Structures are given as structure tokens and as C-alpha cells.
Amino acid sequence: MKIIILISSFLGSLIAQNFQPLPNNIFRISIDQGFSKYNWDRGQHLFSLERIGKMYFDPFTHNDSVRFSSNFDLYYPGSLYYDNIVHNQDTLSIGLTIEEWMKQVNSDFSLNLPDFGQQNIDTNIFRYPEGSFFENRSKNINTQTIRIDYGFSNEVTFNISIPFIKLFSINQSLDKVSVSSIQGVQPLVDYHQNAKSVLKNFIDSEAFIDLPGDSLEKIIQFIYDLYYTKDGDFSVSWIQHAQNDPLGNDLVDKRFIPLEMGTEEGDYVSLDSLTNWYYPARKSGNGLGDIDIGLNILLKGDPPWSSYESTESIYGQLFLSIPFGRTLSSFKNSFIDLNTKNNQLNEVVLGKGVYRWTTGFLGVRYLKGKNMARVYYQGQYKFSLPTTLNTPVRFFSGGHTHPDSILYSVGNTYKYDMGDGLFIRAGGEYEIFPNRIRMTGELSSTYQAFDDYLSKNSYWDKWMEEQTGVTSNLDIKVELWLVNSISNNRIGPFSFDAYLGYQERLVANNTYQGSRFYVGFSTFYQGW
């Protein structure tokens, strides 16, 4: 009987501190209901749209002669080489680049048509739009956690914790979003505006009709359609509206506007509209979170329930967080139905997506007497196994406004390795009314190193790593316990312990700041 009383008395409040020494063949089942509210003023962020810059001048694509030869920018469109051009079901053999062919036509017929050669800009400078924004986030979480602890032996206790997230809502506000024009590309813009005008005027002239045969006419018409109609394979018609400030002048071309936005042909999309689409003001979700399992193993001393005398124990700890919580779905697959908001942009991540290992130790010292007191300290080291996750498609990080361009650059998936972490805490407990009311207080601190991202795009990797950064925080927690599990002091027929707690974040570095309120109860069973 003394042992049963000791078990109930000394173990009732351990649930909240995440360590669970139990005697052999004893179960403890606990249910915790928590409500959290946090805010995070993330300040100013800088970003660049490098893939839009490549549409003007791509300094990274070269031919065998190490000359700039991108077929999709404004700098040197004449580098395009065709052996066979199909135009109106006729096959036209050229055997030259467009620049070479246009120069030959100009020479043969004393014309002054654009030859689409290299343009006069400084090729040592990569030019692209740059921008900034201010971000503020808040989140509200309503979680019910079921925890089961079982004593494998007097020295080893098994734990499993299953969180059911009833509501996880995120509100995000992006203010003062601005994007610059692209400096130094006006010569490219002027060239193509002039080239289109000159070529179009020539096609509409008598001189075009007077060219010998019809193959020359077909080729010139093909070149015009290739570059200056919206459906041309290498169309640069977008430059007529975009000029050197594609976002400041509003987006109108399909190369910039996400198909998933559901806009009509000819609709203009502003920077604010694009931002609101990629970053909705509120999103929420619910479901199962990551499940934690682990072991507490007595390394030194005696279990706290084994004696009426003061005891000191040191436990080794090994835990594994299993990624059951939902992560982001594939961007393309989530937009199969354009009429629903159940897509990646509106999803809330409920899990880390990685197998997270924790190893550490726990020290507990009981000072037993009329008003039993307890002090404890804990240290843990956390690390993860790399995993592959779906790419979050966002234009601030992706370098472009169009999802297809972002996914082409970054990839549909990326490799993620969560940064290593440290966790320490220390606390104490005191019985206000012996065997009835207890109070605990605790300070804890968490540190997490940089996360590692690996995709096809090193700029995206760096931007994502800087956004997460190194995080750390300091929390304080207090709990009040009602003990009703001691048989000679129990009220009513049911044996249970109930508690309520409050946790406040005192210091937050690169993470959320706020508080959590929770209530719960636990009860014991003996296995047979």
C-alpha cells in the first residue's frame, strides 16, 4: 500500500515537464488541451527577381565560343540558328543564324532592316529588379495532445505523444512592397521597339512585295512573327508594355502572370494583386501533428517513487519525432481545381517533415517532507535526417512572378535538413497544501542553427536559409496542480490529477513571441 501511495504522490505532476519515470507495468494516460497565440514582427526583407532580369539579358548562357547566346533574352536574339523553318506548311532552308541571314539580305538588296545582333550594353553587369517588403505574422493554435507512458521496468519508461491540432491559423501582413525598375536595359528596350516598327513597316511596303520570289517574304514574315507576335516561339512582344519596369507598369503578358490566378486575356495584374495572391492574409488548417516517441532510462540514483527519503536521479533520454504532420503539397497538383482555395498557397504546415532525433539527460532531486519540494534540470541535443519536400512557390524567393519559371529554376522538390538544436531548462516544485495543491515554475531556452536547403537554384537556397536563420528563445512557465490520485486523500471515486499552466516567451530571437495557456489531467493504470 505504501508503494502505491508513493507512486501516486510523486509522479502526479511529471507530465507537464516531459519526463516520465514510472514503475514497472504502470500506465499513465494524460490529455492536454492547449491554446497558443504568438506574433512575429519580421521587419524588412530584401529580394531580387533574377529570372526576370534574364529575360532582358542572360549572362549565364553561352555557346561553344563562350559568347552570350540565350535565345530567350533581348541581348542577342539573332544567335538563333535554323536549318529548317516551317512556315505555312512550307519548309525554308536557311543554314545561317538569323543575324547572318538578315545581314546578307540587307547587303544583297541594299536594305537597312534590323539584324538582331549583339546590343551595346555592359555585359559585365547582371541587371534585374530588386525590391523590399515589411512582414508581420501571427498564429493561433488550438491543440489537444494525448500522451501515454508505460513502465517497461523500474528503470525504463516508454512515452508516446500524439497531438491533434484542432485549429492552426496564420495571419500574415506584407506592407510597403516595392520593386525597382531595371537600370541599364533601356538600350535593349529601344532596340526592339525600333526593330518591330522598322520590320513591320517594311512588310507593309511595296519593297517587300517586290522581293524576288516568295521565299524571302516568307522568311522575313516568319522572323517578325517569331519575335513580335505574342505566340511566337521566342516572342519579346512583352517588352512593348513592360519597358524597363515590368512590375511597375503592371503585368499583362502570359509570361509574367500565373495561369492559376484565373485572369482573362488582356487583364492587368498589379504588384499588390500578385502579392495578395501569393501571400494570402489568412490561412488555417487542422489535422494530426508529428508524433513523438521516446525512452527515459535511469542512469544513476534511485527512482523518485522508491523511497520516503530524499532521492536524486539522473535519466538518459532518447526521443524520435515522426513526421505525421502535413507538409506542403505539390504546387501543380494542388491547382487541379482552380475554383477552390485548397491549394499550396493557402495551406498551413502542421509538421516539420523530418525525422527529428533528441538525445539528452534529466536530473531530478526530491526533498521529501511535509511540503515535498522538487528541483530538476534538463539538457537535450536535437538533430534531423535530411528529407525531400515539395517546393514552396513564392515570387519573393523564386526570382520570377510566374510559377512555371520558379519551378523550372528551383525544381518541383528540394532537399531539406533542419538545423541542429539545443534545449535546456531548470525548474522547481513546491506543495502549497500537502498531497493536494502543487505549484511548479520553470525557465527554458531553445536554440536552433541554420536550416540547410538544396535545390537547383543556389540563390533560392541562400534566400530560404537567411529567412529561417538562427533562432533562440527564453520561456517562463508556471503550473498549478490539483492532486486527486492519492488513495487516502482522494475526493470521489475517480483517481486523477488535473493541472492548468501558463507559458510566456520572455526573449525571442528570429522567432515568434507570445504565450500559451493549457489545461489537462492524467490518470494511472496498472497492467497485468
Side-chain angles (χ1 to χ4, degrees):
M1 179 60 69
K2 289 183 178 180
I3 293 298
I4 297 299
I5 293 175
L6 284 170
I7 291 172
S8 299
S9 176
F10 299 155
L11 300 184
S13 64
L14 297 185
I15 175 66
Q17 276 73 48
N18 196 31
F19 49 86
Q20 320 298 327
L22 287 176
N24 182 41
N25 209 27
I26 296 295
F27 285 93
R28 175 172 51 221
I29 300 175
S30 306
I31 298 178
D32 179 287
Q33 183 70 55
F35 306 89
S36 304
K37 185 174 183 179
Y38 290 93
N39 296 282
W40 187 3
D41 184 356
R42 304 199 66 199
Q44 185 181 33
H45 302 268
L46 304 178
F47 65 94
S48 58
L49 302 175
E50 293 188 348
R51 288 196 62 79
I52 287 182
K54 286 184 178 181
M55 297 176 68
Y56 288 81
F57 169 56
D58 180 359
F60 305 107
T61 301
H62 309 88
N63 58 19
D64 294 338
S65 301
V66 197
R67 298 176 66 191
F68 304 112
S69 59
S70 171
N71 295 324
F72 298 95
D73 66 2
L74 306 178
Y75 172 71
Y76 189 14
S79 64
L80 193 63
Y81 187 92
Y82 276 106
D83 286 324
N84 295 291
I85 295 176
V86 179
H87 181 69
N88 293 338
Q89 299 181 347
D90 293 329
T91 300
L92 310 174
S93 296
I94 296 180
L96 302 170
T97 65
I98 289 178
E99 178 192 22
E100 293 169 341
W101 190 86
M102 291 300 296
K103 285 182 176 180
Q104 181 175 314
V105 169
N106 285 335
S107 175
D108 292 345
F109 299 98
S110 301
L111 299 174
N112 191 29
L113 300 177
D115 58 26
F116 303 100
Q118 299 181 72
Q119 301 305 300
N120 185 27
I121 64 170
D122 187 351
T123 57
N124 294 313
I125 302 175
F126 181 31
R127 302 165 177 84
Y128 44 80
E130 296 180 288
S132 66
F133 62 95
F134 290 83
E135 181 182 11
N136 189 283
R137 294 183 188 175
S138 65
K139 65 179 181 179
N140 293 277
I141 309 172
N142 180 352
T143 304
Q144 184 178 87
T145 302
I146 297 177
R147 186 182 185 99
I148 300 174
D149 307 304
Y150 175 69
F152 278 151
S153 68
N154 289 340
E155 292 77 26
V156 180
T157 303
F158 170 79
N159 324 114
I160 181 169
S161 178
I162 307 172
F164 297 91
I165 301 173
K166 295 183 176 180
L167 175 65
F168 193 139
S169 66
I170 295 178
N171 295 287
Q172 54 185 351
S173 172
L174 303 181
D175 297 320
K176 299 180 181 179
V177 181
S178 63
V179 181
S180 69
S181 60
I182 309 176
Q183 302 301 311
V185 299
Q186 194 60 44
L188 301 177
V189 176
D190 294 342
Y191 176 84
H192 282 280
Q193 285 187 312
N194 181 70
K196 177 182 179 181
S197 176
V198 170
L199 209 56
K200 179 62 175 173
N201 289 337
F202 177 72
I203 291 173
D204 292 339
S205 69
E206 291 293 331
F208 178 76
I209 298 175
D210 292 340
L211 289 173
D214 62 356
S215 62
L216 294 176
E217 297 174 6
K218 291 179 179 178
I219 294 174
I220 291 175
Q221 182 65 59
F222 173 82
I223 292 173
Y224 178 87
D225 294 343
L226 188 71
Y227 292 131
Y228 298 122
T229 60
K230 65 179 183 179
D231 295 323
D233 290 342
F234 300 95
S235 175
V236 296
S237 62
W238 53 267
I239 198 63
Q240 307 300 321
H241 174 79
Q243 297 291 300
N244 70 337
D245 192 5
L247 282 98
N249 291 326
D250 290 346
L251 306 176
V252 69
D253 192 89
K254 65 182 181 181
R255 290 165 180 77
F256 296 96
I257 301 176
L259 175 65
E260 293 81 2
M261 287 188 74
T263 58
E264 299 292 336
E265 182 74 22
D267 285 351
Y268 287 79
V269 176
S270 67
L271 175 60
D272 287 343
S273 297
L274 193 70
T275 301
N276 293 336
W277 184 74
Y278 270 111
Y279 303 91
R282 186 179 187 277
K283 49 189 177 181
S284 62
N286 59 74
L288 184 66
D290 291 344
I291 295 178
D292 297 330
I293 60 174
L295 295 172
N296 290 278
I297 305 171
L298 182 64
L299 301 179
K300 182 180 179 181
D302 299 315
W305 42 265
S306 62
S307 172
Y308 277 117
E309 304 300 324
S310 297
T311 61
E312 185 169 7
S313 310
I314 296 179
Y315 285 84
Q317 297 183 309
L318 180 64
F319 299 98
L320 174 62
S321 180
I322 305 173
F324 276 88
R326 184 176 64 241
T327 58
L328 287 181
S329 60
S330 163
F331 182 85
K332 285 298 183 182
N333 291 342
S334 71
F335 275 96
I336 294 177
D337 183 0
L338 297 181
N339 295 319
T340 180
K341 289 189 176 182
N342 294 327
N343 55 64
Q344 188 196 89
L345 301 179
N346 288 278
E347 289 178 351
V348 173
V349 174
L350 301 181
K352 296 181 287 292
V354 298
Y355 286 90
R356 186 77 165 167
W357 288 93
T358 298
T359 181
F361 68 91
L362 164 73
V364 187
R365 180 173 179 82
Y366 276 90
L367 306 174
K368 299 176 182 178
K370 181 179 179 181
N371 295 89
M372 184 184 69
R374 176 173 64 95
V375 293
Y376 58 90
Y377 51 91
Q378 185 178 28
Q380 293 180 335
Y381 173 69
K382 302 172 183 289
F383 62 95
S384 303
L385 302 177
T387 190
T388 299
L389 299 174
N390 290 310
T391 298
V393 176
R394 308 290 187 269
F395 90 89
F396 289 147
S397 59
H400 203 283
T401 59
H402 200 291
D404 289 353
S405 181
I406 296 172
L407 290 172
Y408 179 82
S409 171
V410 178
N412 291 312
T413 60
Y414 68 97
K415 182 172 286 187
Y416 173 65
D417 188 2
M418 192 174 183
D420 292 353
L422 294 174
F423 175 75
I424 58 174
R425 65 177 162 188
E429 175 187 279
Y430 183 77
E431 288 201 349
I432 302 174
F433 299 104
N435 297 329
R436 181 61 68 196
I437 303 295
R438 294 172 181 164
M439 177 168 284
T440 64
E442 173 186 297
L443 279 175
S444 63
S445 180
T446 302
Y447 169 88
Q448 183 179 312
F450 278 99
D451 297 337
D452 288 328
Y453 294 78
L454 181 61
S455 70
K456 293 165 54 179
N457 187 320
S458 60
Y459 166 79
W460 185 87
D461 299 342
K462 182 180 178 182
W463 200 89
M464 294 295 290
E465 289 168 2
E466 290 176 348
Q467 288 297 298
T468 53
V470 174
T471 64
S472 61
N473 59 268
L474 177 66
D475 295 350
I476 187 172
K477 180 168 66 175
V478 293
E479 296 177 346
L480 186 66
W481 280 77
L482 171 65
V483 179
N484 195 54
S485 58
I486 300 176
S487 57
N488 62 359
N489 199 39
R490 186 171 62 208
I491 299 174
F494 300 106
S495 176
F496 68 90
D497 295 334
Y499 61 90
L500 60 87
Y502 178 78
Q503 180 172 315
E504 180 77 24
R505 183 150 294 170
L506 302 178
V507 179
N509 177 33
N510 197 32
T511 188
Y512 285 94
Q513 187 156 12
S515 59
R516 178 176 183 261
F517 173 77
Y518 53 96
V519 296
F521 73 92
S522 60
T523 186
F524 296 91
Y525 298 94
Q526 183 172 3
W528 298 100

